[in-house]
Amino acid sequence: MPITINGSGTFTGISVGGLPDGIVDTDMVADDAITEPKTSLITNRPAFSAYTSASFDMASGAWVKQEFQTEFFDTDSAYNTSTSTFTVPSGMGGAYQVNAGVSVDDINDGTYLAIAIYKNGSGYPNMTPAGYSYSSAADKIVSTKYANVLEFAAADEVTVYAIHNSTGTQACEANLNYFSMFRLGGVTT
């Protein structure tokens, strides 16, 4: 059914309250229905996605904060590219979908790469490390990924760390590493 806008300021062809071809009064919609900024109507925010745009070195045997220097998007300016840290905005605590992936080059046969989500400078409780990958051959790019729903409060700082036990310092790969989060609107924590 087409939607018709006529000269009287009404829309026709829209079902209102389950009635076929109902009439919606544009004055009511404009004045009363939506009074908040558009971003407040988006329930899965804040949200961001960032990736490693420049390779960096990662020493063996120590948890190293991962660098995600470039954003794809950041709905609330809550992700800091210079520190690779997401800070939960005021009033936005709750359940978050957290996704991270790390790839390290030249990992030796039989060694591992692990990642962990850090909250306020420490491994997320009962979750460190969060993901492992073992190298089945020498000098391979090894990747490990993480995805889970975690709870955060306003002002919590969230980062990603990784560790490998291969020989020496290895390179974290540009454009293969990512970190993203979004709040799950409507989920009570």
Side-chain angles (χ1 to χ4, degrees):
M1 173 182 303
I3 297 174
T4 305
I5 302 173
N6 60 37
S8 68
T10 60
F11 294 93
T12 60
I14 301 173
S15 177
V16 178
L19 301 172
D21 197 25
I23 297 175
V24 178
D25 183 350
T26 56
D27 291 334
M28 185 273 309
V29 172
D31 295 338
D32 301 321
I34 302 174
T35 58
E36 300 179 51
K38 285 187 237 177
T39 56
S40 68
L41 300 175
I42 302 169
T43 59
N44 290 343
R45 60 169 275 276
F48 80 93
S49 181
Y51 67 96
T52 300
S53 55
S55 294
F56 61 94
D57 289 335
M58 192 171 138
S60 177
W63 286 100
V64 176
K65 185 177 180 180
Q66 298 300 287
E67 300 174 14
F68 308 97
Q69 309 99 333
T70 303
E71 293 177 334
F72 285 112
F73 66 89
D74 184 359
T75 62
D76 291 65
S77 299
Y79 181 77
N80 184 328
T81 56
S82 64
T83 64
S84 298
T85 302
F86 174 76
T87 303
V88 178
S90 176
M92 293 292 185
Y96 280 78
Q97 173 67 47
V98 181
N99 308 292
V102 174
S103 298
V104 177
D105 200 1
D106 296 328
I107 297 289
N108 294 330
D109 184 19
T111 58
Y112 68 86
L113 168 67
I115 62 174
I117 304 303
Y118 273 47
K119 174 177 142 179
N120 300 324
S122 298
Y124 195 91
N126 305 315
M127 298 291 294
T128 304
Y132 289 101
S133 289
Y134 287 90
S135 180
S136 59
D139 298 326
K140 298 292 182 184
I141 295 175
V142 174
S143 300
T144 191
K145 298 167 180 50
Y146 175 83
N148 202 354
V149 174
L150 301 175
E151 185 177 354
F152 297 101
D156 278 348
E157 294 183 345
V158 186
T159 53
V160 176
Y161 278 70
I163 188 172
H164 72 83
N165 71 338
S166 190
T167 305
T169 298
Q170 304 299 338
C172 278
E173 293 294 307
N175 302 313
L176 294 178
N177 300 348
Y178 61 88
F179 178 28
S180 65
M181 292 176 59
F182 62 89
R183 184 171 174 261
L184 298 173
V187 176
T188 308
T189 57

